Every structure is written in C-alpha cells, then in structure tokens.
Amino acid sequence: MDTTETKNLSVLISGASVAGPALAHWLHRYGFTTTIVERAPALRDGGYAVDFRGEAHLSVLRGMGILDAVERARTGMGSMAYVNSAGRPQAQLPADLFAGDVEILRGDLARILYEATAAHTEYVFGDSVTSLTEDAEGVTVTFERGAPRRFDLVIGADGLHSTTRRLAFGPEEQFVRHLGVHCAIFTTANRLGLDHTGHAYRTAGRLVAMYSARHNTEAKAVFYFASPLLDLDRREVARQQAVLAEQFAGNGWESDRLLEDMRYAPDFYFDSVGQVRMDSWSRGRIALLGDAAHCPSPLSGMGTGLALVGAYVLAGELAAARGDHRVAFARYEDELRKYAAGCQKMGDGVARLMVPGSRLTATLLNRYYKVMPYLPGKDMAARIARRTAEDITLRDYSAWDRLGPRNPALPKAGG
C-alpha cells in the first residue's frame, strides 16, 4: 500500500482484550499507526473459554499467523455432563456444541494477541478515555491520567459497557438489552478431577458449573442466575460476591464449596448478560467494534469469533478506502451487519434454557438432555451454530497488505 495516498493513519483503540489488539494487528499490516488504551493495569488473565468454529473464524486466525499458537493453548474440552445433586451424570452434551473447532481461555487468547502486536502497537495500561472532541481534522481525546492527545480516528473495542459508546453515542441503557441473567466466573482448584470435561448442575433459575482448564491443572467455576438488572458497581467485588453467595447459598451439589473458593479467587468476574443493539456503529470519526457495537452475549458462543471477523473487516475496509472513514465505516457495516444479527440470534432464548424459571421446566430439560443423544436431531444445535459462524463471505484485502502475501485463502462462500 502506498501510504502517501492514505489519510487518517493514526488510530486510537480503546480496549486491549480481543477485538482491539486484533484490529491493531490488521491496521499495522495496512500501514496505520495504532495506540491501545486499556483501563486495567495489565492484561486480564482468566475468564471463560471461547471457541472458534468454521472456516470464516479459522481463516482469520490463520491469516493473522496465530492459529498455531491458539491450537497449542487450546483447552481440548470434550463433552459436558449435567449432573444431579449427588454429582452423578444425567445427560451428556457434545463437545462440538461448546468447544467448536478450537477452544481457548479468553486470557490465553488475549496474551497471544498482545504478543503478536506489542512490537508495533503502543499500549497504554491503567488509563481510560474521558472525552472525545471531533473536528474536521481529527479527534482530541482526554484521559483519566494521561495528557490529551490527537488522533485521526477512534475505535471503541471496550466491551459491553463501552466507555467509547457512552461518550460518542449516549447512555448505555439506550443500547444494551438485559437478557434476564447475571453470571460470574473464577478460577478454582480442579477438586473433581475433571479430565478435559465439565459438570453442570441446574435448578430453578440457577446453574452452576465447573470445567477443567489448562490441561486439568485448574478449573473454572461458572454461575448463572435469573434476575432483573442489578444496580451493582462493576468494581465493587465484595458486593458482587455477597450477591452471588446469597443467590446460591444451599443450592446443592458443589455450590457452597465453590462459594468458599470464590473468596480467594484471583480473577473473579461478575456481570449482567446482555446484547447490544444499535442502528449505527459509527459517528463521524468514531466507530465501535466487537461487543461494544453488537455484543451477542456470552450465551451465544459467537462473541469472540464475531469480534475477530469484525476486526478483519473494519481494518480491511479502512485500507481499501485509503483511510476515508466515511466510506470505510459504511462498508464495514454493510459487510458485517447481517452476520452480527445472526450471531445475536444464537443468544436469543438461550437464557431461558440455561436457567429455566421453574423447577418443573428444569426437570423437563434435564430429562430431554438425557434422551437427546438418541433423537434424530441430536446434533441440530451444533449444526446451527456452525452454519451461523460460517454465514459470511469475507473479502480479500491482501492487495493493501504492506507485508506481502498472507498464508491461506479466505473462505469463498458463506453459509
């Protein structure tokens, strides 16, 4: 790419989890200069497992040159069992439904992306954007700690509770739709001796699960419970833990023991489960990416793959438009909106299945899962997930790649 013909080369990205570093990777290949600002003081470890399925996801990982690293860090998860209060398996759900083609802990993926971009991307940890002032030539950005700076473009890749979205588009409640569920996850000891598998226990309005991680050396504890949106500060961990303990006290199975472990977890995470619905993902020189733009919810199983595909498309369209953000942002939405809507559809209704509102519904679902392996449509959910993940035709932007031809061809057709 001839950078003398390209404008808007300096890009601020808010968020250093997955979407932000992935975008920085591609923008660097096309000659842009990127800065990533992240509120956390360092990379966040831990988190739940995320998966990739289908050629659209895998081709982006391959094109970034990180697929091998992702596969080396994969969880290797097998099937998952629903258990009764005594811990005896009652039903098995197939690995393809949960783990896709390759599954990895979110923290491990973030580390891989950071290592792939740190040499050419400026990372600013422990800071956050406080204001965005746009004019004809760029955007003046102020920060909580750092001095104000100027950038040509600003991209919000800062998640469900995006600060960038709030500053540029309006209050969170205008765009985030609560799905009636809250969740928590943290690392704990693999007390059950799980071998690349997980156990889940469901009661009315509650689900608690454990699955092994990092080659069975530890486990992840996961809690879901049905509730209206709670007014909790995301940084008040003690209050969040108190709410979780109240919700699951005496719930049965491993609940009480896991609640004790929770007090000592180094990576406790708690949040509402929601989706982001927006009419537009850009405004002037500011655009949104990943969960900030179109979060499908963790229940969809599509969020991370969608974020990586979105980063690929956004960077490619900026390169193809020679940095003309008006053209690039519009094409980015045209290319991705239908795909994002399909991924969001996967999350719709899942909350009621995971945490049914009554004991009767929970019992009936457990019985259904028990006989599901013997039914004709036993793999229907996994096939729908794969079809959704592949339902996009990715453009080839390699003509603007300054680093030369990439590994491997992109998928030729969606669906």
Side-chain angles (χ1 to χ4, degrees):
M1 179 178 70
D2 182 2
T3 58
T4 62
E5 299 178 4
T6 300
K7 55 187 177 180
N8 298 330
L9 285 172
S10 69
V11 183
L12 174 68
I13 301 168
S14 178
S17 181
V18 172
L23 179 65
H25 166 90
W26 290 112
L27 287 177
H28 167 67
R29 298 195 71 132
Y30 303 135
F32 295 80
T33 301
T34 54
T35 297
I36 294 180
V37 61
E38 167 59 47
R39 180 189 297 275
L43 286 178
R44 291 187 173 105
D45 197 13
Y48 47 82
V50 298
D51 57 81
F52 302 100
R53 68 186 74 223
E55 188 56 24
H57 293 177
L58 298 181
S59 66
V60 172
L61 292 170
R62 197 179 297 122
M64 295 176 72
I66 64 171
L67 180 57
D68 288 346
V70 169
E71 289 184 330
R72 286 194 296 271
R74 68 190 304 164
T75 63
M77 186 63 62
S79 61
M80 186 168 186
Y82 277 97
V83 300
N84 61 17
S85 58
R88 288 192 290 272
Q90 302 296 295
Q92 294 285 136
L93 294 183
D96 189 37
L97 184 59
F98 292 98
D101 293 318
V102 58
E103 184 185 64
I104 183 173
L105 295 179
R106 191 177 186 86
D108 291 345
L109 177 62
R111 174 184 49 78
I112 290 170
L113 288 167
Y114 173 77
E115 291 174 352
T117 55
H120 55 72
T121 298
E122 177 191 8
Y123 278 85
V124 180
F125 288 100
D127 209 348
S128 181
V129 175
T130 55
S131 73
L132 300 166
T133 304
E134 181 180 347
D135 56 47
E137 303 301 323
V139 184
T140 299
V141 184
T142 63
F143 301 91
E144 286 185 356
R145 299 188 178 187
R149 295 175 63 176
R150 289 276 293 175
F151 296 91
D152 295 324
L153 304 173
V154 174
I155 309 297
D158 39 2
L160 177 67
H161 306 292
S162 169
T163 296
T164 310
R165 186 183 61 230
R166 175 176 56 81
L167 293 172
F169 295 84
E172 180 173 305
E173 53 267 27
Q174 293 183 10
F175 309 110
V176 178
R177 180 166 67 93
H178 180 54
L179 297 185
V181 174
H182 288 74
C183 67
I185 184 168
F186 54 87
T187 300
T188 185
N190 188 3
R191 298 179 182 278
L192 301 181
L194 299 171
D195 183 6
H196 296 91
T197 189
H199 286 175
Y201 175 65
R202 179 165 46 202
T203 53
R206 308 282 184 275
L207 183 142
V208 57
M210 287 181 67
Y211 58 86
S212 61
R214 297 200 167 118
H215 305 293
N216 305 326
T217 60
E218 62 186 35
K220 300 294 180 180
V222 185
F223 293 79
Y224 286 96
F225 66 94
S227 167
L229 185 62
L230 299 175
D231 184 16
L232 293 175
D233 190 312
R234 296 195 302 280
R235 285 168 280 192
E236 290 184 356
V237 173
R239 176 62 182 144
Q240 294 168 359
Q241 292 184 342
V243 167
L244 195 68
E246 180 181 340
Q247 289 286 338
F248 283 88
N251 183 63
W253 188 54
E254 295 288 321
S255 300
D256 288 342
R257 186 159 67 165
L258 289 175
L259 290 173
E260 284 297 316
D261 293 347
M262 170 188 71
R263 311 291 182 183
Y264 308 100
D267 57 354
F268 178 81
Y269 170 85
F270 180 98
D271 205 353
S272 57
V273 176
Q275 291 187 338
V276 174
R277 301 295 180 99
M278 302 186 71
D279 293 333
S280 176
W281 302 333
S282 66
R283 179 166 293 176
R285 293 175 172 270
I286 302 162
L288 302 174
L289 174 67
D291 282 356
H294 41 62
C295 175
S297 93
L299 302 179
S300 71
M302 295 289 166
T304 305
L306 173 58
L308 288 190
V309 169
Y312 170 80
V313 173
L314 177 54
E317 292 300 340
L318 279 168
R322 293 288 198 269
D324 186 335
H325 60 284
R326 293 164 299 184
V327 173
F329 291 168
R331 288 178 176 171
Y332 157 60
E333 291 202 35
D334 287 344
E335 291 289 321
L336 203 66
R337 187 165 284 278
K338 177 178 176 289
Y339 186 60
C343 293
Q344 288 187 323
K345 188 175 180 181
M346 287 294 297
D348 288 339
V350 174
R352 290 188 296 275
L353 292 175
M354 289 193 64
V355 286
S358 70
R359 185 186 300 272
L360 175 61
T361 305
T363 299
L364 291 175
L365 280 171
N366 288 339
R367 289 177 179 174
Y368 168 74
Y369 286 137
K370 190 171 185 177
V371 301
M372 189 176 71
Y374 309 102
L375 299 177
K378 62 182 179 181
D379 59 347
M380 181 182 299
R383 284 190 283 110
I384 292 173
R386 182 168 296 277
R387 186 164 63 245
T388 300
E390 294 181 335
D391 192 20
I392 186 170
T393 302
L394 296 178
R395 291 182 62 191
D396 185 354
Y397 302 105
S398 59
W400 294 276
D401 193 335
R402 297 186 317 148
L403 304 185
R406 291 196 292 274
N407 198 13
L410 292 164
K412 298 302 180 185

mmCIF file with all atom_site columns, all heavy atoms in Angstrom, residues 256-275:
data_model
loop_
_atom_site.group_PDB
_atom_site.id
_atom_site.type_symbol
_atom_site.label_atom_id
_atom_site.label_alt_id
_atom_site.label_comp_id
_atom_site.label_asym_id
_atom_site.label_entity_id
_atom_site.label_seq_id
_atom_site.pdbx_PDB_ins_code
_atom_site.Cartn_x
_atom_site.Cartn_y
_atom_site.Cartn_z
_atom_site.occupancy
_atom_site.B_iso_or_equiv
_atom_site.pdbx_formal_charge
_atom_site.auth_seq_id
_atom_site.auth_comp_id
_atom_site.auth_asym_id
_atom_site.auth_atom_id
_atom_site.pdbx_PDB_model_num
ATOM 1   N N   . ASP A 1 256 ? -21.861 -24.605 47.588 1.00 0.00 ? 256 ASP A N   1
ATOM 2   C CA  . ASP A 1 256 ? -21.324 -23.981 48.802 1.00 0.00 ? 256 ASP A CA  1
ATOM 3   C C   . ASP A 1 256 ? -19.801 -24.010 48.829 1.00 0.00 ? 256 ASP A C   1
ATOM 4   O O   . ASP A 1 256 ? -19.159 -23.036 49.240 1.00 0.00 ? 256 ASP A O   1
ATOM 5   C CB  . ASP A 1 256 ? -21.887 -24.678 50.051 1.00 0.00 ? 256 ASP A CB  1
ATOM 6   C CG  . ASP A 1 256 ? -23.358 -24.340 50.280 1.00 0.00 ? 256 ASP A CG  1
ATOM 7   O OD1 . ASP A 1 256 ? -23.831 -23.343 49.707 1.00 0.00 ? 256 ASP A OD1 1
ATOM 8   O OD2 . ASP A 1 256 ? -24.026 -25.078 51.027 1.00 0.00 ? 256 ASP A OD2 1
ATOM 9   N N   . ARG A 1 257 ? -19.228 -25.107 48.391 1.00 0.00 ? 257 ARG A N   1
ATOM 10  C CA  . ARG A 1 257 ? -17.764 -25.194 48.397 1.00 0.00 ? 257 ARG A CA  1
ATOM 11  C C   . ARG A 1 257 ? -17.145 -24.209 47.407 1.00 0.00 ? 257 ARG A C   1
ATOM 12  O O   . ARG A 1 257 ? -16.132 -23.572 47.694 1.00 0.00 ? 257 ARG A O   1
ATOM 13  C CB  . ARG A 1 257 ? -17.315 -26.618 48.079 1.00 0.00 ? 257 ARG A CB  1
ATOM 14  C CG  . ARG A 1 257 ? -15.811 -26.805 48.222 1.00 0.00 ? 257 ARG A CG  1
ATOM 15  C CD  . ARG A 1 257 ? -15.417 -28.237 48.420 1.00 0.00 ? 257 ARG A CD  1
ATOM 16  N NE  . ARG A 1 257 ? -15.670 -29.070 47.255 1.00 0.00 ? 257 ARG A NE  1
ATOM 17  C CZ  . ARG A 1 257 ? -15.146 -30.283 47.089 1.00 0.00 ? 257 ARG A CZ  1
ATOM 18  N NH1 . ARG A 1 257 ? -14.360 -30.792 48.034 1.00 0.00 ? 257 ARG A NH1 1
ATOM 19  N NH2 . ARG A 1 257 ? -15.425 -30.987 46.032 1.00 0.00 ? 257 ARG A NH2 1
ATOM 20  N N   . LEU A 1 258 ? -17.789 -24.069 46.253 1.00 0.00 ? 258 LEU A N   1
ATOM 21  C CA  . LEU A 1 258 ? -17.288 -23.116 45.268 1.00 0.00 ? 258 LEU A CA  1
ATOM 22  C C   . LEU A 1 258 ? -17.440 -21.677 45.765 1.00 0.00 ? 258 LEU A C   1
ATOM 23  O O   . LEU A 1 258 ? -16.597 -20.819 45.482 1.00 0.00 ? 258 LEU A O   1
ATOM 24  C CB  . LEU A 1 258 ? -18.017 -23.295 43.938 1.00 0.00 ? 258 LEU A CB  1
ATOM 25  C CG  . LEU A 1 258 ? -17.667 -24.577 43.178 1.00 0.00 ? 258 LEU A CG  1
ATOM 26  C CD1 . LEU A 1 258 ? -18.536 -24.719 41.945 1.00 0.00 ? 258 LEU A CD1 1
ATOM 27  C CD2 . LEU A 1 258 ? -16.190 -24.597 42.791 1.00 0.00 ? 258 LEU A CD2 1
ATOM 28  N N   . LEU A 1 259 ? -18.497 -21.410 46.508 1.00 0.00 ? 259 LEU A N   1
ATOM 29  C CA  . LEU A 1 259 ? -18.657 -20.075 47.074 1.00 0.00 ? 259 LEU A CA  1
ATOM 30  C C   . LEU A 1 259 ? -17.565 -19.756 48.084 1.00 0.00 ? 259 LEU A C   1
ATOM 31  O O   . LEU A 1 259 ? -17.140 -18.604 48.212 1.00 0.00 ? 259 LEU A O   1
ATOM 32  C CB  . LEU A 1 259 ? -20.039 -19.944 47.726 1.00 0.00 ? 259 LEU A CB  1
ATOM 33  C CG  . LEU A 1 259 ? -21.229 -19.920 46.764 1.00 0.00 ? 259 LEU A CG  1
ATOM 34  C CD1 . LEU A 1 259 ? -22.540 -19.963 47.542 1.00 0.00 ? 259 LEU A CD1 1
ATOM 35  C CD2 . LEU A 1 259 ? -21.191 -18.702 45.857 1.00 0.00 ? 259 LEU A CD2 1
ATOM 36  N N   . GLU A 1 260 ? -17.086 -20.758 48.776 1.00 0.00 ? 260 GLU A N   1
ATOM 37  C CA  . GLU A 1 260 ? -15.939 -20.550 49.673 1.00 0.00 ? 260 GLU A CA  1
ATOM 38  C C   . GLU A 1 260 ? -14.682 -20.268 48.862 1.00 0.00 ? 260 GLU A C   1
ATOM 39  O O   . GLU A 1 260 ? -13.913 -19.352 49.177 1.00 0.00 ? 260 GLU A O   1
ATOM 40  C CB  . GLU A 1 260 ? -15.730 -21.789 50.559 1.00 0.00 ? 260 GLU A CB  1
ATOM 41  C CG  . GLU A 1 260 ? -16.719 -21.917 51.700 1.00 0.00 ? 260 GLU A CG  1
ATOM 42  C CD  . GLU A 1 260 ? -16.604 -20.748 52.676 1.00 0.00 ? 260 GLU A CD  1
ATOM 43  O OE1 . GLU A 1 260 ? -15.461 -20.367 53.021 1.00 0.00 ? 260 GLU A OE1 1
ATOM 44  O OE2 . GLU A 1 260 ? -17.650 -20.197 53.047 1.00 0.00 ? 260 GLU A OE2 1
ATOM 45  N N   . ASP A 1 261 ? -14.466 -21.022 47.799 1.00 0.00 ? 261 ASP A N   1
ATOM 46  C CA  . ASP A 1 261 ? -13.300 -20.800 46.929 1.00 0.00 ? 261 ASP A CA  1
ATOM 47  C C   . ASP A 1 261 ? -13.326 -19.410 46.301 1.00 0.00 ? 261 ASP A C   1
ATOM 48  O O   . ASP A 1 261 ? -12.271 -18.803 46.068 1.00 0.00 ? 261 ASP A O   1
ATOM 49  C CB  . ASP A 1 261 ? -13.265 -21.846 45.808 1.00 0.00 ? 261 ASP A CB  1
ATOM 50  C CG  . ASP A 1 261 ? -12.997 -23.260 46.318 1.00 0.00 ? 261 ASP A CG  1
ATOM 51  O OD1 . ASP A 1 261 ? -12.595 -23.398 47.486 1.00 0.00 ? 261 ASP A OD1 1
ATOM 52  O OD2 . ASP A 1 261 ? -13.204 -24.206 45.543 1.00 0.00 ? 261 ASP A OD2 1
ATOM 53  N N   . MET A 1 262 ? -14.529 -18.930 46.038 1.00 0.00 ? 262 MET A N   1
ATOM 54  C CA  . MET A 1 262 ? -14.689 -17.623 45.391 1.00 0.00 ? 262 MET A CA  1
ATOM 55  C C   . MET A 1 262 ? -13.962 -16.521 46.151 1.00 0.00 ? 262 MET A C   1
ATOM 56  O O   . MET A 1 262 ? -13.406 -15.596 45.550 1.00 0.00 ? 262 MET A O   1
ATOM 57  C CB  . MET A 1 262 ? -16.187 -17.306 45.304 1.00 0.00 ? 262 MET A CB  1
ATOM 58  C CG  . MET A 1 262 ? -16.537 -15.903 44.874 1.00 0.00 ? 262 MET A CG  1
ATOM 59  S SD  . MET A 1 262 ? -18.320 -15.580 45.024 1.00 0.00 ? 262 MET A SD  1
ATOM 60  C CE  . MET A 1 262 ? -18.514 -15.526 46.828 1.00 0.00 ? 262 MET A CE  1
ATOM 61  N N   . ARG A 1 263 ? -13.940 -16.607 47.475 1.00 0.00 ? 263 ARG A N   1
ATOM 62  C CA  . ARG A 1 263 ? -13.347 -15.538 48.301 1.00 0.00 ? 263 ARG A CA  1
ATOM 63  C C   . ARG A 1 263 ? -11.856 -15.369 48.023 1.00 0.00 ? 263 ARG A C   1
ATOM 64  O O   . ARG A 1 263 ? -11.295 -14.304 48.264 1.00 0.00 ? 263 ARG A O   1
ATOM 65  C CB  . ARG A 1 263 ? -13.539 -15.861 49.786 1.00 0.00 ? 263 ARG A CB  1
ATOM 66  C CG  . ARG A 1 263 ? -14.957 -16.253 50.187 1.00 0.00 ? 263 ARG A CG  1
ATOM 67  C CD  . ARG A 1 263 ? -15.919 -15.092 50.091 1.00 0.00 ? 263 ARG A CD  1
ATOM 68  N NE  . ARG A 1 263 ? -17.260 -15.475 50.527 1.00 0.00 ? 263 ARG A NE  1
ATOM 69  C CZ  . ARG A 1 263 ? -18.313 -14.667 50.491 1.00 0.00 ? 263 ARG A CZ  1
ATOM 70  N NH1 . ARG A 1 263 ? -18.181 -13.438 50.031 1.00 0.00 ? 263 ARG A NH1 1
ATOM 71  N NH2 . ARG A 1 263 ? -19.487 -15.092 50.896 1.00 0.00 ? 263 ARG A NH2 1
ATOM 72  N N   . TYR A 1 264 ? -11.214 -16.422 47.523 1.00 0.00 ? 264 TYR A N   1
ATOM 73  C CA  . TYR A 1 264 ? -9.759  -16.383 47.330 1.00 0.00 ? 264 TYR A CA  1
ATOM 74  C C   . TYR A 1 264 ? -9.364  -16.357 45.850 1.00 0.00 ? 264 TYR A C   1
ATOM 75  O O   . TYR A 1 264 ? -8.182  -16.405 45.533 1.00 0.00 ? 264 TYR A O   1
ATOM 76  C CB  . TYR A 1 264 ? -9.125  -17.600 48.015 1.00 0.00 ? 264 TYR A CB  1
ATOM 77  C CG  . TYR A 1 264 ? -9.563  -17.749 49.450 1.00 0.00 ? 264 TYR A CG  1
ATOM 78  C CD1 . TYR A 1 264 ? -10.566 -18.647 49.803 1.00 0.00 ? 264 TYR A CD1 1
ATOM 79  C CD2 . TYR A 1 264 ? -8.988  -16.969 50.455 1.00 0.00 ? 264 TYR A CD2 1
ATOM 80  C CE1 . TYR A 1 264 ? -10.982 -18.775 51.133 1.00 0.00 ? 264 TYR A CE1 1
ATOM 81  C CE2 . TYR A 1 264 ? -9.410  -17.085 51.780 1.00 0.00 ? 264 TYR A CE2 1
ATOM 82  C CZ  . TYR A 1 264 ? -10.401 -17.987 52.099 1.00 0.00 ? 264 TYR A CZ  1
ATOM 83  O OH  . TYR A 1 264 ? -10.813 -18.101 53.417 1.00 0.00 ? 264 TYR A OH  1
ATOM 84  N N   . ALA A 1 265 ? -10.351 -16.285 44.971 1.00 0.00 ? 265 ALA A N   1
ATOM 85  C CA  . ALA A 1 265 ? -10.056 -16.332 43.534 1.00 0.00 ? 265 ALA A CA  1
ATOM 86  C C   . ALA A 1 265 ? -9.345  -15.056 43.091 1.00 0.00 ? 265 ALA A C   1
ATOM 87  O O   . ALA A 1 265 ? -9.759  -13.948 43.445 1.00 0.00 ? 265 ALA A O   1
ATOM 88  C CB  . ALA A 1 265 ? -11.340 -16.514 42.742 1.00 0.00 ? 265 ALA A CB  1
ATOM 89  N N   . PRO A 1 266 ? -8.272  -15.185 42.309 1.00 0.00 ? 266 PRO A N   1
ATOM 90  C CA  . PRO A 1 266 ? -7.536  -14.002 41.850 1.00 0.00 ? 266 PRO A CA  1
ATOM 91  C C   . PRO A 1 266 ? -8.179  -13.307 40.664 1.00 0.00 ? 266 PRO A C   1
ATOM 92  O O   . PRO A 1 266 ? -7.768  -12.206 40.282 1.00 0.00 ? 266 PRO A O   1
ATOM 93  C CB  . PRO A 1 266 ? -6.175  -14.589 41.447 1.00 0.00 ? 266 PRO A CB  1
ATOM 94  C CG  . PRO A 1 266 ? -6.515  -15.974 40.980 1.00 0.00 ? 266 PRO A CG  1
ATOM 95  C CD  . PRO A 1 266 ? -7.640  -16.443 41.873 1.00 0.00 ? 266 PRO A CD  1
ATOM 96  N N   . ASP A 1 267 ? -9.184  -13.925 40.057 1.00 0.00 ? 267 ASP A N   1
ATOM 97  C CA  . ASP A 1 267 ? -9.713  -13.418 38.788 1.00 0.00 ? 267 ASP A CA  1
ATOM 98  C C   . ASP A 1 267 ? -11.236 -13.409 38.761 1.00 0.00 ? 267 ASP A C   1
ATOM 99  O O   . ASP A 1 267 ? -11.858 -13.668 37.727 1.00 0.00 ? 267 ASP A O   1
ATOM 100 C CB  . ASP A 1 267 ? -9.171  -14.250 37.625 1.00 0.00 ? 267 ASP A CB  1
ATOM 101 C CG  . ASP A 1 267 ? -9.491  -15.744 37.780 1.00 0.00 ? 267 ASP A CG  1
ATOM 102 O OD1 . ASP A 1 267 ? -10.027 -16.142 38.835 1.00 0.00 ? 267 ASP A OD1 1
ATOM 103 O OD2 . ASP A 1 267 ? -9.200  -16.506 36.846 1.00 0.00 ? 267 ASP A OD2 1
ATOM 104 N N   . PHE A 1 268 ? -11.858 -13.125 39.892 1.00 0.00 ? 268 PHE A N   1
ATOM 105 C CA  . PHE A 1 268 ? -13.319 -13.128 39.975 1.00 0.00 ? 268 PHE A CA  1
ATOM 106 C C   . PHE A 1 268 ? -13.911 -12.125 38.993 1.00 0.00 ? 268 PHE A C   1
ATOM 107 O O   . PHE A 1 268 ? -13.501 -10.968 38.927 1.00 0.00 ? 268 PHE A O   1
ATOM 108 C CB  . PHE A 1 268 ? -13.759 -12.791 41.397 1.00 0.00 ? 268 PHE A CB  1
ATOM 109 C CG  . PHE A 1 268 ? -15.258 -12.727 41.573 1.00 0.00 ? 268 PHE A CG  1
ATOM 110 C CD1 . PHE A 1 268 ? -15.994 -13.888 41.735 1.00 0.00 ? 268 PHE A CD1 1
ATOM 111 C CD2 . PHE A 1 268 ? -15.915 -11.502 41.582 1.00 0.00 ? 268 PHE A CD2 1
ATOM 112 C CE1 . PHE A 1 268 ? -17.377 -13.820 41.897 1.00 0.00 ? 268 PHE A CE1 1
ATOM 113 C CE2 . PHE A 1 268 ? -17.292 -11.427 41.736 1.00 0.00 ? 268 PHE A CE2 1
ATOM 114 C CZ  . PHE A 1 268 ? -18.026 -12.589 41.904 1.00 0.00 ? 268 PHE A CZ  1
ATOM 115 N N   . TYR A 1 269 ? -14.907 -12.581 38.230 1.00 0.00 ? 269 TYR A N   1
ATOM 116 C CA  . TYR A 1 269 ? -15.584 -11.732 37.242 1.00 0.00 ? 269 TYR A CA  1
ATOM 117 C C   . TYR A 1 269 ? -17.080 -11.889 37.420 1.00 0.00 ? 269 TYR A C   1
ATOM 118 O O   . TYR A 1 269 ? -17.594 -13.007 37.553 1.00 0.00 ? 269 TYR A O   1
ATOM 119 C CB  . TYR A 1 269 ? -15.175 -12.148 35.828 1.00 0.00 ? 269 TYR A CB  1
ATOM 120 C CG  . TYR A 1 269 ? -15.991 -11.509 34.730 1.00 0.00 ? 269 TYR A CG  1
ATOM 121 C CD1 . TYR A 1 269 ? -15.652 -10.250 34.234 1.00 0.00 ? 269 TYR A CD1 1
ATOM 122 C CD2 . TYR A 1 269 ? -17.102 -12.155 34.177 1.00 0.00 ? 269 TYR A CD2 1
ATOM 123 C CE1 . TYR A 1 269 ? -16.404 -9.649  33.219 1.00 0.00 ? 269 TYR A CE1 1
ATOM 124 C CE2 . TYR A 1 269 ? -17.850 -11.572 33.165 1.00 0.00 ? 269 TYR A CE2 1
ATOM 125 C CZ  . TYR A 1 269 ? -17.501 -10.327 32.696 1.00 0.00 ? 269 TYR A CZ  1
ATOM 126 O OH  . TYR A 1 269 ? -18.245 -9.753  31.698 1.00 0.00 ? 269 TYR A OH  1
ATOM 127 N N   . PHE A 1 270 ? -17.796 -10.760 37.418 1.00 0.00 ? 270 PHE A N   1
ATOM 128 C CA  . PHE A 1 270 ? -19.243 -10.773 37.605 1.00 0.00 ? 270 PHE A CA  1
ATOM 129 C C   . PHE A 1 270 ? -19.847 -9.736  36.671 1.00 0.00 ? 270 PHE A C   1
ATOM 130 O O   . PHE A 1 270 ? -19.333 -8.617  36.553 1.00 0.00 ? 270 PHE A O   1
ATOM 131 C CB  . PHE A 1 270 ? -19.575 -10.428 39.059 1.00 0.00 ? 270 PHE A CB  1
ATOM 132 C CG  . PHE A 1 270 ? -21.055 -10.410 39.379 1.00 0.00 ? 270 PHE A CG  1
ATOM 133 C CD1 . PHE A 1 270 ? -21.649 -11.512 39.966 1.00 0.00 ? 270 PHE A CD1 1
ATOM 134 C CD2 . PHE A 1 270 ? -21.834 -9.294  39.110 1.00 0.00 ? 270 PHE A CD2 1
ATOM 135 C CE1 . PHE A 1 270 ? -23.011 -11.498 40.269 1.00 0.00 ? 270 PHE A CE1 1
ATOM 136 C CE2 . PHE A 1 270 ? -23.192 -9.278  39.399 1.00 0.00 ? 270 PHE A CE2 1
ATOM 137 C CZ  . PHE A 1 270 ? -23.779 -10.383 39.993 1.00 0.00 ? 270 PHE A CZ  1
ATOM 138 N N   . ASP A 1 271 ? -20.965 -10.083 36.020 1.00 0.00 ? 271 ASP A N   1
ATOM 139 C CA  . ASP A 1 271 ? -21.592 -9.111  35.131 1.00 0.00 ? 271 ASP A CA  1
ATOM 140 C C   . ASP A 1 271 ? -23.016 -9.554  34.803 1.00 0.00 ? 271 ASP A C   1
ATOM 141 O O   . ASP A 1 271 ? -23.391 -10.721 35.009 1.00 0.00 ? 271 ASP A O   1
ATOM 142 C CB  . ASP A 1 271 ? -20.793 -8.960  33.840 1.00 0.00 ? 271 ASP A CB  1
ATOM 143 C CG  . ASP A 1 271 ? -21.007 -7.610  33.161 1.00 0.00 ? 271 ASP A CG  1
ATOM 144 O OD1 . ASP A 1 271 ? -21.880 -6.840  33.617 1.00 0.00 ? 271 ASP A OD1 1
ATOM 145 O OD2 . ASP A 1 271 ? -20.301 -7.319  32.181 1.00 0.00 ? 271 ASP A OD2 1
ATOM 146 N N   . SER A 1 272 ? -23.778 -8.617  34.279 1.00 0.00 ? 272 SER A N   1
ATOM 147 C CA  . SER A 1 272 ? -25.073 -8.945  33.693 1.00 0.00 ? 272 SER A CA  1
ATOM 148 C C   . SER A 1 272 ? -24.825 -9.543  32.315 1.00 0.00 ? 272 SER A C   1
ATOM 149 O O   . SER A 1 272 ? -23.760 -9.363  31.715 1.00 0.00 ? 272 SER A O   1
ATOM 150 C CB  . SER A 1 272 ? -25.940 -7.687  33.579 1.00 0.00 ? 272 SER A CB  1
ATOM 151 O OG  . SER A 1 272 ? -25.261 -6.700  32.817 1.00 0.00 ? 272 SER A OG  1
ATOM 152 N N   . VAL A 1 273 ? -25.814 -10.252 31.806 1.00 0.00 ? 273 VAL A N   1
ATOM 153 C CA  . VAL A 1 273 ? -25.739 -10.830 30.465 1.00 0.00 ? 273 VAL A CA  1
ATOM 154 C C   . VAL A 1 273 ? -26.668 -10.020 29.564 1.00 0.00 ? 273 VAL A C   1
ATOM 155 O O   . VAL A 1 273 ? -27.865 -9.897  29.849 1.00 0.00 ? 273 VAL A O   1
ATOM 156 C CB  . VAL A 1 273 ? -26.143 -12.315 30.472 1.00 0.00 ? 273 VAL A CB  1
ATOM 157 C CG1 . VAL A 1 273 ? -26.166 -12.871 29.046 1.00 0.00 ? 273 VAL A CG1 1
ATOM 158 C CG2 . VAL A 1 273 ? -25.189 -13.122 31.340 1.00 0.00 ? 273 VAL A CG2 1
ATOM 159 N N   . GLY A 1 274 ? -26.103 -9.447  28.516 1.00 0.00 ? 274 GLY A N   1
ATOM 160 C CA  . GLY A 1 274 ? -26.922 -8.601  27.653 1.00 0.00 ? 274 GLY A CA  1
ATOM 161 C C   . GLY A 1 274 ? -26.460 -8.617  26.220 1.00 0.00 ? 274 GLY A C   1
ATOM 162 O O   . GLY A 1 274 ? -25.416 -9.188  25.879 1.00 0.00 ? 274 GLY A O   1
ATOM 163 N N   . GLN A 1 275 ? -27.250 -7.997  25.376 1.00 0.00 ? 275 GLN A N   1
ATOM 164 C CA  . GLN A 1 275 ? -26.914 -7.808  23.967 1.00 0.00 ? 275 GLN A CA  1
ATOM 165 C C   . GLN A 1 275 ? -26.907 -6.319  23.654 1.00 0.00 ? 275 GLN A C   1
ATOM 166 O O   . GLN A 1 275 ? -27.644 -5.547  24.264 1.00 0.00 ? 275 GLN A O   1
ATOM 167 C CB  . GLN A 1 275 ? -27.920 -8.513  23.061 1.00 0.00 ? 275 GLN A CB  1
ATOM 168 C CG  . GLN A 1 275 ? -27.868 -10.020 23.104 1.00 0.00 ? 275 GLN A CG  1
ATOM 169 C CD  . GLN A 1 275 ? -28.770 -10.659 22.060 1.00 0.00 ? 275 GLN A CD  1
ATOM 170 O OE1 . GLN A 1 275 ? -29.721 -10.037 21.578 1.00 0.00 ? 275 GLN A OE1 1
ATOM 171 N NE2 . GLN A 1 275 ? -28.466 -11.897 21.698 1.00 0.00 ? 275 GLN A NE2 1
#
